[in-house]
């Protein structure tokens, strides 16, 4: 007997649900839940590509008319269809010495699942009004305290005081059932009060 498994992660079949993006098709008010290649092409610029986002109907229309080979000559199409396409160039690790030690550009990478770009946006893109970056540890500590990424130092102190009153046995009538939670709250506060974003 075979058991049908539901897909646990919607990202890998194309839809990114609960997106706050709107559909990029002119005049459409639906949510943009499906990614399409940028107008300028996937390998342009020195940063993650700025994808277009469409609703289901408009991404279907886009896909129906999409032609990867559009604008290529017959020779370019033949080379792109070769089983060894992309393997004819030396990688940076094996390139000859003396060619310069320039870091790779974003356009040098193929990122079809947006793995590099998504990580770049998550770790580098500032989410605070003051522009101070947050580390992964900062984000985890903010989650423990239930604070937004743009919280400031006074709101950090205020939230910490609230949670200590709630979870500390000396403050909550002797209830010791929240000691694990209290330990996490104290560790998160100690980490954040020393973080550059809260200096």
């Amino acid at each position: 007997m075979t058991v049908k498994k539901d897909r646990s992660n919607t990202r890998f079949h194309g839809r990114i649900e609960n997106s706050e993006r709107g559909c990029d098709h002119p005049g459409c008010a639906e949510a943009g839940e499906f990614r399409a290649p940028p107008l300028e092409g996937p390998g342009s610029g020195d940063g993650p590509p700025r994808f277009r986002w469409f609703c289901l109907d408009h991404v279907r229309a886009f896909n129906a008319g999409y032609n990867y080979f559009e604008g290529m000559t017959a020779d370019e199409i033949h080379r792109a269809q070769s089983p060894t396409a992309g393997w004819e160039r030396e990688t940076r690790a094996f390139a000859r010495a003396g060619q310069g030690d320039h870091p790779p550009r974003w356009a040098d990478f193929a990122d079809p699942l947006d793995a590099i770009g998504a990580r770049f946006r998550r770790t580098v893109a500032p989410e605070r009004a003051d522009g101070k970056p947050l580390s992964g540890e900062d984000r985890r500590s903010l989650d423990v305290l239930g604070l937004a990424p743009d919280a400031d130092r006074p709101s950090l102190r205020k939230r910490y005081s609230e949670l200590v009153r709630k979870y500390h046995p000396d403050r909550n009538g002797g209830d010791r059932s929240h000691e694990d939670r209290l330990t996490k709250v104290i560790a998160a506060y100690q980490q954040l009060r020393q973080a550059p974003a809260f200096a």
Side-chain angles (χ1 to χ4, degrees):
M1 177 176 129
T2 57
V3 178
K4 235 183 182 180
K5 290 187 179 177
D6 291 333
R7 297 182 181 188
S8 60
N9 190 333
T10 57
R11 180 174 179 79
F12 292 107
H13 73 277
R15 170 175 264 149
I16 298 178
E17 295 181 276
N18 303 321
S19 169
E20 295 179 9
R21 302 176 191 90
C23 178
D24 286 336
H25 190 273
C28 182
E30 296 292 318
E33 296 181 318
F34 296 89
R35 190 176 63 197
L39 281 169
E40 62 273 11
S44 58
D46 194 22
R50 300 188 188 286
F51 293 101
R52 291 177 285 173
W53 295 87
F54 294 118
C55 65
L56 181 60
D57 290 338
H58 288 123
V59 82
R60 284 178 174 160
F62 172 84
N63 288 339
Y66 183 71
N67 179 2
Y68 176 82
F69 301 110
E70 187 176 345
M72 289 187 180
T73 65
D75 288 339
E76 289 170 334
I77 292 172
H78 180 72
R79 280 194 298 274
Q81 291 177 328
S82 165
T84 60
W87 289 96
E88 62 276 357
R89 295 188 313 270
E90 282 184 300
T91 62
R92 283 182 71 242
F94 298 104
R96 294 183 303 278
Q99 292 184 345
D101 289 326
H102 302 292
R105 298 176 309 116
W106 279 97
D108 295 338
F109 295 96
D111 191 15
L113 295 177
D114 195 30
I116 300 170
R119 184 174 178 88
F120 173 84
R121 284 187 291 279
R122 192 166 57 245
T123 58
V124 177
E127 294 179 16
R128 296 170 56 90
D130 58 14
K132 292 180 179 177
L134 292 170
S135 69
E137 193 175 2
D138 293 342
R139 292 171 205 281
R140 286 188 291 278
S141 296
L142 287 167
D143 285 343
V144 168
L145 298 176
L147 288 171
D150 60 349
D152 57 8
R153 196 168 179 91
S155 61
L156 173 64
R157 276 194 226 109
K158 181 181 176 189
R159 181 64 175 155
Y160 174 68
S161 297
E162 290 170 358
L163 293 175
V164 167
R165 280 195 300 274
K166 182 177 180 181
Y167 296 130
H168 200 288
D170 293 345
R171 302 283 185 95
N172 67 9
D175 182 2
R176 303 184 79 84
S177 63
H178 302 291
E179 286 183 336
D180 287 344
R181 178 82 175 132
L182 177 63
T183 302
K184 290 178 183 175
V185 165
I186 293 169
Y189 175 72
Q190 294 298 333
Q191 189 271 318
L192 286 172
R193 63 189 283 267
Q194 297 171 20
F198 294 92

